[in-house]
Amino acid sequence: MRLVILETSKSVGEWAAKYVAKRIKDFQPGPDKYFVLGLPTGSTPLGMYKYLIEYHRQGKISFKYVKTFNMDEYVDLPRDHPQSYHHFMYQNFFQHIDIDPKNVHILDGNASDLNAECERYEAEIVRAGGVELFIGGIGADGHIAFNEPGSSLASRTRVKTLAEDTLRANAASFFDNDMNQVPKQALTVGCGTILDAKEVMILITGAQKSFALYKTIEEGVSHMWTASCLQQHGNVLLICDDDATLELRVKTVKYFKGLMTVHSKLIEDSTD
Ligand code: GLP
């Protein structure tokens, strides 16, 4: 596991965007070789999307040969609802880049058979050749995608009932602070689905996520802090700001900050 510690949330967005740009560039995607990207919603990745859009406008990155799979979607929220993840993704990212909409995959929370929709999604990921880079965030309770505390760490894409903490956090950020407006269920990729990706990159910002970051990396693997499943993955990159490290040991922070010159090489020439 690598932990990149940056000063601000803004630099987390910029660093993450540079890393994505470099990974896509180095992969040299083409009509017979698509780069498969797993994508999150939430407030944390917004900065990364802004930088990616900017690099695209500057002609530094193309998404023509990129396929995307989003992590999750609410159940029973109309696709054009301002808080649906479909709407979020087109508004904040897809409509500003050159991705072909047929290469965009987002779970359909309005499908008549939700279990069949989840199975179809898993099969679609396999058909695309698996996810090359899965990007995510974490909840303050350590959840990843919508894998709430207690979720199986071997789970696949499925329907999940959302935890009270998640309803409250999402109400505050996106639903006028009204928990009743937040859908109670969502479709989400499982921890097992995420662990199948060749690489996982997680963005964590703010003091409110610092305990979750500590539980994710400094304690044991636990289904009560589902992001800790990443300890079992061989290629994980966590990018956080200083505030998110508040609950980490000084020793941990010092060690990873000392590796910054090594980490900087990961984004070298990314936007040339
Ligand atoms: C939701 C999403 C997660 C996201 C989390 C944190 O629960 N399902 O994928 O990581 O919120 O969101 P934010 O970045 O807004 O704090």
Side-chain angles (χ1 to χ4, degrees):
M1 183 204 75
R2 291 158 296 172
L3 177 67
V4 178
I5 305 170
L6 302 162
E7 249 175 69
T8 62
S9 58
K10 189 169 183 275
S11 24
V12 168
E14 186 177 7
W15 205 99
K18 284 190 171 157
Y19 188 71
V20 173
K22 180 149 170 72
R23 285 286 273 106
I24 295 176
K25 215 157 86 170
D26 289 354
F27 189 85
Q28 298 184 309
D32 301 319
K33 194 186 167 204
Y34 277 76
F35 188 91
V36 182
L37 195 55
L39 292 176
T41 53
S43 31
T44 315
L46 279 173
M48 174 187 74
Y49 289 137
K50 286 204 180 93
Y51 277 103
L52 284 173
I53 292 166
E54 172 141 354
Y55 299 153
H56 169 66
R57 285 204 179 120
Q58 295 166 350
K60 293 174 176 167
I61 179 174
S62 166
F63 295 87
K64 193 165 175 212
Y65 298 116
V66 173
K67 289 185 185 181
T68 63
F69 286 87
N70 261 82
M71 294 189 123
D72 41 22
E73 176 59 288
Y74 291 115
V75 166
D76 273 349
L77 197 64
R79 193 172 279 216
D80 58 359
H81 187 285
Q83 299 310 338
S84 83
Y85 288 173
H86 275 81
H87 190 266
F88 177 101
M89 288 308 299
Y90 276 92
Q91 199 70 17
N92 293 302
F93 193 39
F94 297 141
Q95 72 178 25
H96 307 287
I97 58 169
D98 61 342
I99 195 160
D100 185 337
K102 79 170 189 312
N103 293 325
V104 167
H105 303 86
I106 305 178
L107 282 153
D108 179 4
N110 294 292
S112 53
D113 183 340
L114 293 175
N115 292 330
E117 168 62 5
C118 293
E119 276 176 33
R120 185 198 62 77
Y121 204 67
E122 287 274 340
E124 197 74 46
I125 294 176
V126 172
R127 209 167 16 254
V131 176
E132 185 67 28
L133 175 65
F134 223 131
I135 305 171
I138 61 173
D141 61 359
H143 74 242
I144 183 163
F146 269 130
N147 294 287
E148 300 288 28
S151 293
S152 158
L153 301 186
S155 52
R156 312 301 309 187
T157 305
R158 68 211 182 292
V159 185
K160 278 300 286 185
T161 298
L162 303 184
E164 178 115 1
D165 283 349
T166 303
L167 295 176
R168 197 171 297 114
N170 288 3
S173 303
F174 301 108
F175 289 88
D176 307 326
N177 225 353
D178 178 2
M179 269 172 75
N180 294 322
Q181 286 184 40
V182 188
K184 305 288 174 285
Q185 289 193 311
L187 303 185
T188 179
V189 295
C191 295
T193 321
I194 298 166
L195 291 175
D196 278 353
K198 295 191 187 83
E199 182 174 10
V200 184
M201 177 171 88
I202 303 295
L203 316 183
I204 311 118
T205 59
Q208 76 282 7
K209 299 283 175 72
S210 59
F211 194 71
L213 178 58
Y214 148 67
K215 283 285 188 179
T216 299
I217 68 171
E218 284 193 344
E219 289 213 345
V221 175
S222 161
H223 66 172
M224 296 315 289
W225 297 85
T226 55
S228 66
C229 73
L230 297 170
Q231 292 179 31
Q232 306 277 33
H233 192 286
N235 195 4
V236 172
L237 179 58
L238 301 160
I239 308 171
C240 70
D241 63 2
D242 272 330
D243 285 351
T245 68
L246 289 175
E247 296 283 347
L248 296 184
R249 285 181 214 155
V250 174
K251 190 163 95 174
T252 308
V253 175
K254 210 170 163 193
Y255 172 71
F256 285 109
K257 283 201 167 171
L259 288 174
M260 210 45 211
T261 43
V262 179
H263 292 149
S264 299
K265 290 202 172 51
L266 295 172
I267 53 167
E268 225 167 47
D269 309 327
S270 54
T271 47
D272 289 349

